[in-house]
Amino acid sequence: MPLTVRDLLAIPSLRLQLVAGGAGLGRVVEAAHATENTRPASWLEGAEVVMTNGLLLSADDTDCAAYVDQLSGGRAAALIVGVGAGLPLQAVPTALIHHAERVRLPLLTSPAGVPFASITKAVFVARAAEERRLLERTLRTQRRLSSAAASSDGLTGLLSSWFQATGSGVAVCDAAGRLLGAAGTDGPQLLANAAPVIDTVGLHGLRGSGGGDLACGKVVVQPLGTARLRGFLVLLGADSAEARLLISVLVSLLSVELERRHLADEPQRRRRAAILARLFHTDITAEQAQALLRTADVPSGAVRAVAVQAAGEPVELAADLALAVPGGLARVTGATVELVVPEELDTSAVLRRFAPGRPAGIGPTVAPQYAVLSLRQAVALLSSSVELGRPVSAAEAGSVRLLLSLGSPATLAAFADTVLAPLDAADPDGELIETLRVWLETNGSWAESSALLGLHRHTVQNRIEKVARLTGRQQDSAEDRVDLWLALTARAVGLPRPPQQKYRSTVPPQG
């Protein structure tokens, strides 16, 4: 147990006497500091016994109050005043006693025959003995944890030994957040409470750690794994000195355990890769495809294929992604990881977590027997993903917006400005461009355009005729319509638009 003011007071050789502040005798003492400074707060780190001969102390009530408040603000454990023959003080000032009692600061007296060095030595010896006992307990606990990790109980025995030794609740989950084991706490609930911290730590891989005061208590989260992130350790209430010393030991033992499990799962990953290879056959029937998905415990509804470009470690990336997706259907083809996932899976979230920054193509949703067709489209999207720096899905692949985003921004801006510059100059308020946009989106329907714009049909017609005069592009020419639509779409995807005053129309406004 740590040294307290009560323990210090009980050492016979020091002959200390309690004068005030008995309510604070349980305060922990970590050091002893002799000073005659009447403003000691800035020199204290907390939990010190402050010793003074009272050379500069005043018996004035205001001065005593200020001095005691300084000690309290510096989180001093106690105040010891030397009194007796040959010392500045023969007794403790009444005002000092009053204010020490006010803030519950233990106030002790030391007789003239006991040097402050003796008190400092007693504190040092007691602290050293406590640290030695802590180290011995820690070493014994470390041996128990190591034995538990090597036993047949594995993860369960290790977590139980930790809780028995420290009293700290513990839970372990894999890299996808699935509970692997817990002791001394409700594992699922603890993981749910700590989910935001786990997500934050996961962004930094093995280099991160985190924690915080949550509704369930003080939580510490540590990543697990030797070379790659394999899971997370979540501790609840690991505040004791022994627990803090043992956290690194627990992390090491758990990391080895999760690596062992990862290696043990290799045959299972190969089996899932073989199932995926059969699913990607071009001549597979609907019944066969559904049977394969049932074998992998994947719902036999609609699926989609995903292709992820792996740089350097495709096998490890495939293992990570297999862990994160239902059924674990993943395989490596060259430098690409190929997956099949259920339609309802948030594929983008999985890629952000387990393949951040990797080019990825997400194929369309198909019936299981057409998974290979979805895969072909996913692979074809990898080049677009490289260009855009983000995953690309088949849902957007046919979009003109995607094609425009792949082009040079400067070139597309120049094209849009060339087509629309006369309208910008003639109509700074944008009425002509808005009318043109609605008219094109309604496929040139005068009635629908006028209804959407709240304008008379003739007004819409006059504006479109004016657009034709200003731009030189005719409303009955398919090519001209496409030019106008592409220019509007290029601006809609966020391409820069120069200031309007730079345009000068060469065609005078009409009507």
Side-chain angles (χ1 to χ4, degrees):
M1 295 296 291
L3 179 70
T4 65
V5 178
R6 181 178 288 104
D7 299 328
L8 193 63
L9 183 62
I11 298 176
S13 61
L14 299 182
R15 292 186 287 156
L16 299 173
Q17 297 292 324
L18 178 66
V19 176
L25 289 178
R27 295 185 182 188
V28 173
V29 177
E30 294 186 353
H33 179 54
T35 178
E36 298 302 325
N37 191 335
T38 58
R39 296 291 185 270
S42 59
W43 302 95
L44 302 178
E45 294 182 353
E48 295 99 343
V49 167
V50 176
M51 301 174 292
T52 179
N53 281 323
L55 184 63
L56 301 179
L57 283 181
S58 166
D60 179 77
D61 185 81
T62 301
D63 292 341
C64 286
Y67 180 63
V68 169
D69 288 341
Q70 278 277 313
L71 295 173
S72 181
R75 295 178 293 111
L79 171 64
I80 298 178
V81 180
V83 296
L87 296 177
L89 295 178
Q90 304 305 305
V92 179
T94 302
L96 191 62
I97 296 174
H98 167 71
H99 289 293
E101 191 69 38
R102 171 175 60 84
V103 300
R104 298 185 175 184
L105 175 71
L107 173 57
L108 287 67
T109 59
S110 172
V114 178
F116 286 162
S118 299
I119 300 174
T120 301
K121 182 179 179 180
V123 171
F124 175 79
V125 169
R127 289 279 298 154
E130 171 58 25
E131 290 180 1
R132 183 177 64 254
R133 289 192 294 270
L134 174 62
L135 181 58
E136 291 171 349
R137 291 197 308 271
T138 301
L139 289 174
R140 288 195 297 270
T141 303
Q142 181 177 341
R143 285 193 290 269
R144 289 201 300 272
L145 293 176
S146 299
S147 298
S151 71
S152 58
D153 290 338
L155 181 65
T156 302
L158 180 56
L159 299 184
S160 296
S161 295
W162 165 269
F163 175 65
Q164 291 169 7
T166 66
S168 169
V170 58
V172 173
C173 64
D174 62 22
R178 292 184 285 259
L179 181 68
L180 299 178
T185 185
D186 183 335
Q189 186 62 48
L190 179 57
L191 292 184
N193 290 332
V197 183
I198 293 173
D199 290 341
T200 301
V201 172
L203 294 176
H204 301 284
L206 293 176
R207 299 186 302 274
S209 62
D213 293 316
L214 306 180
C216 58
K218 187 173 183 179
V219 167
V220 174
V221 176
Q222 292 280 350
L224 300 175
T226 55
R228 294 179 68 86
L229 181 67
R230 301 298 184 198
F232 299 94
L233 164 67
V234 184
L235 296 171
L236 178 63
D239 295 327
S240 69
E242 185 176 6
R244 291 194 296 269
L245 286 174
L246 286 169
I247 287 177
S248 60
V249 174
L250 183 62
V251 168
S252 297
L253 293 173
L254 287 171
S255 294
V256 171
E257 172 64 17
L258 293 194
E259 290 292 349
R260 184 193 65 77
R261 291 187 173 207
H262 174 75
L263 293 174
D265 288 341
E266 177 59 25
Q268 176 78 344
R269 288 193 291 272
R270 288 199 298 267
R271 188 177 72 85
R272 298 297 173 111
I275 292 175
L276 186 59
R278 292 168 59 192
L279 187 64
F280 282 150
H281 282 173
T282 55
D283 57 353
I284 191 171
T285 66
E287 292 75 14
Q288 291 170 334
Q290 290 172 359
L292 288 174
L293 291 180
R294 285 195 297 271
T295 301
D297 296 324
V298 177
S300 59
V303 297
R304 59 166 60 93
V306 181
V308 184
Q309 202 171 88
E313 295 182 318
V315 174
E316 288 291 347
L317 179 60
D320 291 345
L321 291 170
L323 182 69
V325 302
L329 294 179
R331 71 173 184 178
V332 176
T333 303
T336 302
V337 176
E338 299 171 348
L339 311 164
V340 162
V341 301
E343 176 186 18
E344 61 273 11
L345 180 71
D346 187 347
T347 309
S348 296
V350 171
L351 294 175
R352 283 195 301 270
R353 176 74 173 271
F354 294 94
R358 302 290 179 88
I362 304 172
T365 299
V366 295
Q369 65 270 26
Y370 301 122
V372 67
L373 300 180
S374 182
L375 175 65
R376 289 173 183 170
Q377 295 186 56
V379 172
L381 292 170
L382 286 174
S383 58
S384 298
S385 180
V386 171
E387 292 289 336
L388 293 175
R390 62 172 177 81
V392 177
S393 68
E396 61 177 321
S399 168
V400 170
R401 288 174 178 267
L402 175 64
L403 297 177
L404 289 174
S405 65
L406 291 172
S408 163
T411 301
L412 293 171
F415 165 73
D417 292 340
T418 299
V419 174
L420 301 176
L423 304 184
D424 294 331
D427 179 29
D429 293 333
E431 290 182 346
L432 290 178
I433 286 181
E434 177 63 12
T435 302
L436 174 63
R437 182 189 64 78
V438 173
W439 183 72
L440 289 173
E441 289 181 353
T442 60
N443 200 27
S445 169
W446 302 113
E448 190 174 352
S449 298
S450 62
L452 290 172
L453 292 167
L455 299 173
H456 193 277
R457 173 177 176 150
H458 294 313
T459 302
V460 175
Q461 289 177 318
N462 289 337
R463 288 184 180 181
I464 296 303
E465 289 172 0
K466 187 174 183 178
V467 168
R469 291 194 301 272
L470 291 172
T471 62
R473 286 169 169 80
Q474 302 305 312
Q475 56 184 276
D476 55 354
S477 167
E479 183 177 352
D480 287 350
R481 283 196 187 189
V482 169
D483 282 350
L484 291 168
W485 179 63
L486 286 175
L488 291 173
T489 305
R491 282 191 176 175
V493 298
L495 296 174
R497 176 180 175 181
Q500 291 194 3
Q501 59 265 29
K502 72 174 285 187
Y503 301 116
R504 294 292 183 269
S505 175
T506 57
V507 182
Q510 301 180 32

